[in-house]
Amino acid sequence: MKKEDQLEEKNPIEDLLRMDRIPHIWCPGCGIGTVVTSFIEALKKSKLDLDKVVVVSGIGCTGRVAGYVKLDSFHTTHGRAVPFATGLKLANPELNVVVFSGDGDIAGIGGNHFIHAARRNMDITIICVNNFNYAMTGGQVAATTPLGANASTAPYGNFEFPFSLPYLADAAGATYIARWTALHLRRVTKSIQEALSRRGFSFIEVITPCVTLYARRNRLGDGLNLLKYYYDNSEIHHGADTRTLDISYQGKLVVGKFVDKEKPTFLDAMNEHLGKVLGDKYVLYGRINDDRD
Amino acid sequence: MKKVKADPKGVLTGSHYLDGDHSLAEGGLAAGCRFFAGYPITPSTETAERFSERIPTVGGVFIQMEDELGSIAALIGASWAGKKVMTVTSGPGFSLMMENIGLACMMETPIVIANVQRGGPSTGLPTLTGQQDMMQARWGSHGDYEIIALSPDSPQECFDLTIEAFNLAEMFRVPTFVMTDECIGHMHEKVVIPPAEEIELVERKWYTGPKEKYLPYKPDKDLVPFMIKAGDGYRFHTTGLTRDERGYPVINAECQDVCVRHLVDKINKNADKIIKLKEEEIDNAEIIVISYGITSRVAIKAVQKARKAGIKVGTLRLITVWPFPEKRIKELAKKIKAFVFPEINCGQVVLEVERCSWGQTQVIHVPHCGGWVHNPDDIFNAIKEAAK
């Protein structure tokens, strides 16, 4: 057999993975890897210079993403991925900064940073993997755990009202907001691609199975059962009013692209405002030929 | 170590009448700081205010963050994107910063933090002085690490030592602190800012070798690894986890030993290059008054009075507090009758003097709980007592 005819066993996205760190730590049936695949496919389809794409993660299962992608990548502290990304972006506006982290990291401990980065319309993309619990530490109740669901620190069921993340992002000022599940692979890819091409604060929530903890504790079966749940209960509703996106325990999941609008980013607003007020004295900062324009 | 001249854009050359807070901002701008992330807190806010006013005409970014946790996170990100970065805070904000100061140590990231100290604990005395965060500056974040901390005694030194702090942070890839206090922060004095060409700055230790051979944490001869910045095509990784030379997490005792020992050695083994002291009339001294920051100015009066009373007193001012001048204190401890050490806390840096004295001399602490500086007579009485 000629060399070129031989089949090679190779992961099609391995050029953007740190293969020297594989196998990864995620459990069988986990949805995080699926989102990573979508992210890498979106990157490949985008026209971005990948040397300028930076991934920032916080702590938790999804926090490990930064360690597996072959890009400039930072595995930071719990909740602080968003302000870390803010620093990277503002210090070098040429960078395309992506925060890839979990619901606990972004909406729990990092919730304050999240809403303020959205308010400022910081030009970064947030991919938030929502598995309804703190998985890395053993399945504790989270800010996203649906009412009534069981968690290791809510052994009698959760009685705290959860966040609806797209609603939170919308209220805080995000300019691109989408929600999908791990079942909607191609749509996740497309949304990430869109988010990367937009200037401003983009937020994508991806609901994923946590088989080992959330599903097991709630007797919801394995990964396949959860994908079946997404399949049976997802309702695509682009442009849905973000006030209607609450998730109830094993209830309907409204998914889609809810917000896609334009607003000056932090740096745009800073340059415009200070330029106007200070005139020639102002030193324009970081206005670059943006390959997304 | 590559040295460069300051960028004239940031240097406000001339003779000024400034308080310490404003002087800190000018020091940062002169040192080439072009990214400031902070959160308002008394008595340090004026530094942030001045930076926000000055940076638009210099070229750079000021951002008021949502809290101090975010300020330090943003500084580390901005530093990895290639900027020189600083923030300013006081007690409660300093406590919030501790989390990511640990991350900056672990990621070996140059950042500069000024702390205009006030009385604590907790909300304490927002508008009144203290020197009670000295131990926190050293080890306030969890785990083992070493940092650099400087202590200015005047608005002029707020300027000078901020530049020095930037140089040290860049040289050693480590968070560097300018530990001033409310008194100096709000004290107006003459501050002379030299022409840009007279300000020497240390350039970050940029890596220039082949990309594929780059290792973010491989120590160089001076123990400091070379640095790169995000966006230059290295596709590197770094983490707050215990990591190897590649920046990859390795969770075991062997890697921890190499990683943590490196963080500690990098500063301690370079201590001689870092430490600056100001000694006066040490040679024939029987008593040496050790002090730092505002307290060293108060101590002068007590020292003069003691000299008039015929006591042989020398003074030693800690310009660098951390790393601690262990060698010098050990040397002096063998020769003198006593150290007298006033500081505006109940006994922090004095513990180091006691340790380094090893029982060879007396160490008399003159504590003060904060809110005001010492009464010079309290220091004088301690000197008199020591001379008996």
Side-chain angles (χ1 to χ4, degrees), chain A residues 52 72 75 77 80 113 120 283, chain B residues 56 66 99-100 231 236 239:
Chain A
K52 304 281 182 207
D72 285 347
H75 182 215
T77 40
R80 319 296 167 222
H113 306 303
R120 300 183 181 109
V283 180
Chain B
E66 49 276 9
E99 175 195 52
N100 284 311
F236 69 102
T239 171

Side-chain angles (χ1 to χ4, degrees), chain B residues 208-339:
Chain B
T208 49
K211 274 187 182 166
E212 61 286 357
K213 289 205 173 147
Y214 179 66
L215 292 166
Y217 298 112
K218 186 178 179 353
D220 190 24
K221 274 175 229 149
D222 63 357
L223 299 178
V224 186
F226 285 96
M227 201 162 166
I228 47 149
K229 58 181 191 289
D232 281 355
Y234 286 86
R235 309 272 176 104
F236 69 102
H237 177 65
T238 179
T239 171
L241 289 165
T242 293
R243 40 47 185 187
D244 61 14
E245 291 183 344
R246 297 170 300 173
Y248 286 8
V250 180
I251 309 302
N252 63 40
E254 291 74 28
C255 187
Q256 170 78 354
D257 187 71
V258 175
C259 172
V260 174
R261 208 174 283 272
H262 162 70
L263 297 179
V264 171
D265 283 353
K266 182 175 76 170
I267 302 305
N268 287 347
K269 292 196 173 167
N270 283 310
D272 290 345
K273 289 188 215 163
I274 299 168
I275 292 169
K276 274 193 184 162
L277 306 171
K278 191 169 180 205
E279 296 177 356
E280 275 172 9
E281 300 190 32
I282 287 272
D283 290 344
N284 300 313
E286 287 184 332
I287 314 290
I288 293 176
V289 175
I290 306 179
S291 59
Y292 56 90
I294 184 65
T295 309
S296 53
R297 294 179 68 160
V298 178
I300 289 170
K301 201 164 179 190
V303 169
Q304 285 167 346
K305 199 170 166 186
R307 280 175 189 156
K308 265 189 203 153
I311 307 170
K312 286 178 185 163
V313 191
T315 58
L316 186 152
R317 177 158 77 90
L318 304 170
I319 297 172
T320 314
V321 179
W322 310 123
F324 190 73
E326 198 170 303
K327 263 194 234 164
R328 185 62 181 148
I329 299 295
K330 280 181 185 168
E331 238 169 60
L332 293 171
K334 289 179 204 152
K335 300 178 186 167
I336 60 162
K337 219 164 160 185
F339 287 119

